[in-house]
Amino acid sequence: MDFALSPEHDLVRETARKFADQEIVPGLRERDREHVSDASQLKKMAAAGLLGVSIPAKYDGMDTDYVSLGIVCEELERGDTSARVVMSVHSGLHSLTVLQWGTAEQKQRWLPSLATGQAVGGFALTEPNAGSDAVNIKTRAERSGDEYVLNGQKTWISLADYADRFLVVAVTDPNAKSKANGLTAFIVERDRPGFSSRAIKGKLGVRAGNTGEIFFDNLRVPAENRLGDEGDGFRVAMSALDHGRYTVASGAVGIVTACLEASVKYCHDRKVGGEEIGKKQLVQQMIAKMVASRDIGRLLYYKVGWMKNTGQRHTREVSLAKWQNCNAAFESANDAIEIHGAYGFCDEFPVERHFRNSRGAVIYEGTREIHTLMQAEYELGYREDRPLKHTLPTWPFGPEV
Ligand code: CAA
């Protein structure tokens, strides 16, 4: 068993960390206070090559492995969750799913612009009345000749106002015996007539990021925009979530790291009775817990990255990593506030923002309740991961990718 990361991984970490420190963190407190997302960051991320991480060179990507995607997410979220969300949606939920499910023609058509950031990808599954219960979405896609006509509404869509195209899941057969078999996935461009979006205001966290609703009003997409076969939509969505949850799990480690670094610094700076508060055993207990969360969190996501590299199905493992790491990030941020005392309760220090941001990830991409149930079901033998119809290409990428 080899636990070593490669020099390429170190370079990826350094690049992403530098990007977060130089491009994400400056001005962040104001953007977060004002609920302003900075659209120019997408272009900067593209210029730094971040949007092409884990996409084969054949499609103008960086050709790095899947562990690299996790490392980028960890480092970006150490800066701010809004930057990691871009990777989750564009790279995890959208680009990797096109790589997994696209035909040769579709991959050639869509991936180069995604990998270079000329186009930004989004993901649209959730609806006002279907979150965890994803199979019960209502957005309708009706076949009409060589096209499908979409009508419906999606909510809690990251980059709703910015993404150029969305992976949309809709109902094509409302009478299917199994509801999952009645869903189909499409790539929908935002410049199609009948598309509109609206930002969601007043969020607890990820305030420097764009989240919204999108609407389809008799929107027509050609049949060649269908990803997978008719009836594959639920499986496409669930495999997208295998990638999205990976980015959320790895990003959560970035929150733990940021809280740990801020807390260690504060422990040295803040003195009680002439002594650093780091000398206090109850404070040390919280620091030690964060150290464990960081190291366990990395092991969990590195393993999933390795499973992606080697072409193994990892739905159970990524669910576990997402569940554990998001809980750990929330607890770490809570402890970091405790360590900072009253200063942790305002935005003079970043831990308050990490606390609010970490709460969202406990909910999105599978609530903690969904992951708890999944883990119990695997253990009890009620759920098992069978081989998939389409898998991600293994890494190193071959010419046939
Ligand atoms: N990859 C491919 N196929 C998969 C799959 C995967 N990971 N997981 C399941 N499938 C397939 C199964 O093999 C099965 O197909 P067959 O019938 O051919 O075997 C089919 O899909 C149905 O699977 P299940 O029986 O496992 O489905 P279920 O009904 O038991 O799933 C559930 C229930 C696990 C709760 C699932 O509905 C779920 O994960 N819900 C949570 C949805 C979620 O995470 N939503 C977040 C949306 S995104 C978001 O939050 C927005 C954002 O990012 C900002």
Side-chain angles (χ1 to χ4, degrees), residues 81-107:
T81 301
S82 57
R84 190 271 305 154
V85 166
V86 173
M87 296 301 295
S88 292
V89 174
H90 172 89
S91 302
L93 292 164
H94 190 111
S95 303
L96 289 190
T97 313
V98 171
L99 183 63
Q100 179 174 352
W101 282 85
T103 62
E105 185 276 329
Q106 289 176 326
K107 288 190 277 193

CSV table of all heavy atoms in Angstrom, one decimal, residues 81-107:
chain,number,residue,atom,x,y,z
A,81,THR,N,-15.7,28.6,0.6
A,81,THR,CA,-16.6,27.6,0.1
A,81,THR,C,-17.0,27.9,-1.3
A,81,THR,O,-17.2,27.1,-2.2
A,81,THR,CB,-17.8,27.3,1.0
A,81,THR,OG1,-17.2,26.9,2.3
A,81,THR,CG2,-18.7,26.3,0.5
A,82,SER,N,-17.3,29.2,-1.6
A,82,SER,CA,-17.8,29.6,-2.9
A,82,SER,C,-16.9,29.2,-4.0
A,82,SER,O,-17.4,28.8,-5.1
A,82,SER,CB,-18.0,31.2,-2.9
A,82,SER,OG,-16.8,31.8,-2.6
A,83,ALA,N,-15.6,29.2,-3.8
A,83,ALA,CA,-14.7,28.8,-4.9
A,83,ALA,C,-14.7,27.3,-5.1
A,83,ALA,O,-14.7,26.8,-6.2
A,83,ALA,CB,-13.2,29.3,-4.5
A,84,ARG,N,-14.8,26.6,-4.0
A,84,ARG,CA,-14.9,25.1,-4.1
A,84,ARG,C,-16.2,24.7,-4.8
A,84,ARG,O,-16.2,23.7,-5.6
A,84,ARG,CB,-14.8,24.4,-2.8
A,84,ARG,CG,-14.6,22.9,-2.8
A,84,ARG,CD,-15.9,22.2,-2.8
A,84,ARG,NE,-16.7,22.6,-1.6
A,84,ARG,CZ,-18.0,22.5,-1.6
A,84,ARG,NH1,-18.7,22.1,-2.6
A,84,ARG,NH2,-18.7,22.9,-0.5
A,85,VAL,N,-17.3,25.4,-4.5
A,85,VAL,CA,-18.6,25.1,-5.1
A,85,VAL,C,-18.5,25.2,-6.7
A,85,VAL,O,-19.0,24.3,-7.4
A,85,VAL,CB,-19.7,26.0,-4.6
A,85,VAL,CG1,-20.9,26.0,-5.5
A,85,VAL,CG2,-20.0,25.7,-3.2
A,86,VAL,N,-17.7,26.1,-7.2
A,86,VAL,CA,-17.5,26.2,-8.6
A,86,VAL,C,-16.9,24.8,-9.1
A,86,VAL,O,-17.3,24.3,-10.2
A,86,VAL,CB,-16.5,27.3,-9.0
A,86,VAL,CG1,-16.2,27.3,-10.5
A,86,VAL,CG2,-17.2,28.7,-8.6
A,87,MET,N,-15.9,24.3,-8.4
A,87,MET,CA,-15.3,23.0,-8.8
A,87,MET,C,-16.3,21.9,-8.7
A,87,MET,O,-16.4,21.0,-9.6
A,87,MET,CB,-14.1,22.7,-7.9
A,87,MET,CG,-12.9,23.7,-8.0
A,87,MET,SD,-12.2,23.8,-9.7
A,87,MET,CE,-11.6,22.2,-10.0
A,88,SER,N,-17.1,21.9,-7.7
A,88,SER,CA,-18.1,20.9,-7.4
A,88,SER,C,-19.0,20.8,-8.6
A,88,SER,O,-19.3,19.7,-9.1
A,88,SER,CB,-18.9,21.1,-6.1
A,88,SER,OG,-18.0,21.0,-5.0
A,89,VAL,N,-19.5,22.0,-9.0
A,89,VAL,CA,-20.6,22.0,-10.0
A,89,VAL,C,-20.0,21.8,-11.4
A,89,VAL,O,-20.4,21.0,-12.2
A,89,VAL,CB,-21.4,23.3,-9.8
A,89,VAL,CG1,-22.4,23.5,-10.9
A,89,VAL,CG2,-22.0,23.4,-8.5
A,90,HIS,N,-19.0,22.7,-11.7
A,90,HIS,CA,-18.5,22.6,-13.1
A,90,HIS,C,-17.7,21.3,-13.3
A,90,HIS,O,-17.9,20.7,-14.3
A,90,HIS,CB,-17.5,23.9,-13.2
A,90,HIS,CG,-16.8,23.9,-14.5
A,90,HIS,ND1,-17.2,24.4,-15.7
A,90,HIS,CD2,-15.6,23.3,-14.8
A,90,HIS,CE1,-16.4,24.2,-16.6
A,90,HIS,NE2,-15.3,23.6,-16.2
A,91,SER,N,-16.8,21.0,-12.4
A,91,SER,CA,-15.9,19.9,-12.7
A,91,SER,C,-16.5,18.5,-12.2
A,91,SER,O,-16.5,17.6,-13.0
A,91,SER,CB,-14.6,20.0,-11.9
A,91,SER,OG,-13.9,21.2,-12.4
A,92,GLY,N,-17.0,18.5,-11.0
A,92,GLY,CA,-17.6,17.3,-10.5
A,92,GLY,C,-18.9,16.9,-11.1
A,92,GLY,O,-19.0,15.9,-11.8
A,93,LEU,N,-19.9,17.6,-10.8
A,93,LEU,CA,-21.3,17.2,-11.2
A,93,LEU,C,-21.4,17.3,-12.8
A,93,LEU,O,-22.1,16.5,-13.3
A,93,LEU,CB,-22.3,18.2,-10.6
A,93,LEU,CG,-22.4,18.0,-9.1
A,93,LEU,CD1,-23.2,19.2,-8.4
A,93,LEU,CD2,-23.2,16.7,-8.7
A,94,HIS,N,-20.8,18.3,-13.4
A,94,HIS,CA,-21.0,18.4,-14.9
A,94,HIS,C,-20.0,17.7,-15.7
A,94,HIS,O,-20.3,16.8,-16.4
A,94,HIS,CB,-21.1,19.9,-15.2
A,94,HIS,CG,-21.6,20.2,-16.6
A,94,HIS,ND1,-22.8,20.8,-16.8
A,94,HIS,CD2,-21.0,20.0,-17.8
A,94,HIS,CE1,-23.0,20.9,-18.2
A,94,HIS,NE2,-21.9,20.4,-18.7
A,95,SER,N,-18.7,18.2,-15.7
A,95,SER,CA,-17.7,17.8,-16.6
A,95,SER,C,-17.4,16.3,-16.5
A,95,SER,O,-17.4,15.5,-17.5
A,95,SER,CB,-16.4,18.6,-16.5
A,95,SER,OG,-16.6,19.9,-16.6
A,96,LEU,N,-17.2,15.8,-15.3
A,96,LEU,CA,-16.9,14.4,-15.1
A,96,LEU,C,-18.1,13.5,-15.5
A,96,LEU,O,-17.9,12.4,-16.0
A,96,LEU,CB,-16.5,14.0,-13.7
A,96,LEU,CG,-15.1,14.6,-13.2
A,96,LEU,CD1,-14.7,13.9,-11.8
A,96,LEU,CD2,-14.0,14.3,-14.2
A,97,THR,N,-19.3,14.0,-15.4
A,97,THR,CA,-20.5,13.2,-15.8
A,97,THR,C,-20.5,13.1,-17.3
A,97,THR,O,-20.9,12.1,-17.9
A,97,THR,CB,-21.7,13.8,-15.2
A,97,THR,OG1,-21.5,14.0,-13.8
A,97,THR,CG2,-22.9,12.8,-15.3
A,98,VAL,N,-20.2,14.2,-18.0
A,98,VAL,CA,-20.1,14.2,-19.4
A,98,VAL,C,-19.0,13.2,-19.9
A,98,VAL,O,-19.2,12.4,-20.8
A,98,VAL,CB,-19.8,15.6,-20.0
A,98,VAL,CG1,-19.6,15.5,-21.5
A,98,VAL,CG2,-21.0,16.5,-19.8
A,99,LEU,N,-17.9,13.2,-19.1
A,99,LEU,CA,-16.8,12.3,-19.5
A,99,LEU,C,-17.2,10.9,-19.3
A,99,LEU,O,-16.8,10.0,-20.0
A,99,LEU,CB,-15.6,12.6,-18.6
A,99,LEU,CG,-14.3,11.8,-18.8
A,99,LEU,CD1,-13.7,12.1,-20.2
A,99,LEU,CD2,-13.2,12.2,-17.7
A,100,GLN,N,-18.1,10.6,-18.3
A,100,GLN,CA,-18.5,9.3,-17.9
A,100,GLN,C,-19.6,8.8,-18.9
A,100,GLN,O,-19.6,7.6,-19.3
A,100,GLN,CB,-19.0,9.2,-16.5
A,100,GLN,CG,-19.5,7.9,-16.1
A,100,GLN,CD,-19.9,7.8,-14.6
A,100,GLN,OE1,-19.6,8.7,-13.8
A,100,GLN,NE2,-20.5,6.7,-14.2
A,101,TRP,N,-20.5,9.7,-19.2
A,101,TRP,CA,-21.7,9.2,-20.0
A,101,TRP,C,-21.8,9.7,-21.4
A,101,TRP,O,-22.6,9.2,-22.2
A,101,TRP,CB,-23.0,9.8,-19.2
A,101,TRP,CG,-23.4,9.0,-18.0
A,101,TRP,CD1,-22.8,9.2,-16.8
A,101,TRP,CD2,-24.3,7.9,-17.9
A,101,TRP,NE1,-23.4,8.3,-15.9
A,101,TRP,CE2,-24.3,7.5,-16.6
A,101,TRP,CE3,-25.1,7.2,-18.8
A,101,TRP,CZ2,-25.1,6.4,-16.1
A,101,TRP,CZ3,-25.9,6.2,-18.4
A,101,TRP,CH2,-25.9,5.8,-17.1
A,102,GLY,N,-21.0,10.6,-21.8
A,102,GLY,CA,-21.1,11.2,-23.2
A,102,GLY,C,-20.7,10.2,-24.2
A,102,GLY,O,-19.8,9.4,-24.0
A,103,THR,N,-21.3,10.3,-25.4
A,103,THR,CA,-20.8,9.6,-26.6
A,103,THR,C,-19.5,10.3,-27.0
A,103,THR,O,-19.2,11.4,-26.6
A,103,THR,CB,-21.8,9.7,-27.7
A,103,THR,OG1,-21.9,11.1,-28.1
A,103,THR,CG2,-23.2,9.2,-27.3
A,104,ALA,N,-18.8,9.6,-27.9
A,104,ALA,CA,-17.5,10.2,-28.4
A,104,ALA,C,-17.8,11.6,-29.0
A,104,ALA,O,-17.0,12.5,-28.7
A,104,ALA,CB,-16.9,9.2,-29.5
A,105,GLU,N,-18.8,11.7,-29.7
A,105,GLU,CA,-19.2,13.0,-30.4
A,105,GLU,C,-19.5,14.0,-29.3
A,105,GLU,O,-19.0,15.2,-29.4
A,105,GLU,CB,-20.4,12.8,-31.3
A,105,GLU,CG,-20.8,14.0,-32.1
A,105,GLU,CD,-21.7,14.9,-31.4
A,105,GLU,OE1,-22.5,14.5,-30.5
A,105,GLU,OE2,-21.6,16.1,-31.6
A,106,GLN,N,-20.3,13.6,-28.3
A,106,GLN,CA,-20.6,14.6,-27.2
A,106,GLN,C,-19.4,15.1,-26.4
A,106,GLN,O,-19.3,16.3,-26.1
A,106,GLN,CB,-21.7,14.0,-26.3
A,106,GLN,CG,-23.0,13.8,-26.9
A,106,GLN,CD,-24.0,13.1,-26.0
A,106,GLN,OE1,-23.6,12.2,-25.2
A,106,GLN,NE2,-25.3,13.5,-26.1
A,107,LYS,N,-18.5,14.1,-26.1
A,107,LYS,CA,-17.3,14.5,-25.4
A,107,LYS,C,-16.5,15.5,-26.2
A,107,LYS,O,-16.0,16.5,-25.6
A,107,LYS,CB,-16.5,13.2,-25.0
A,107,LYS,CG,-17.2,12.4,-23.9
A,107,LYS,CD,-16.3,11.3,-23.4
A,107,LYS,CE,-16.4,10.1,-24.3
A,107,LYS,NZ,-15.8,8.9,-23.6
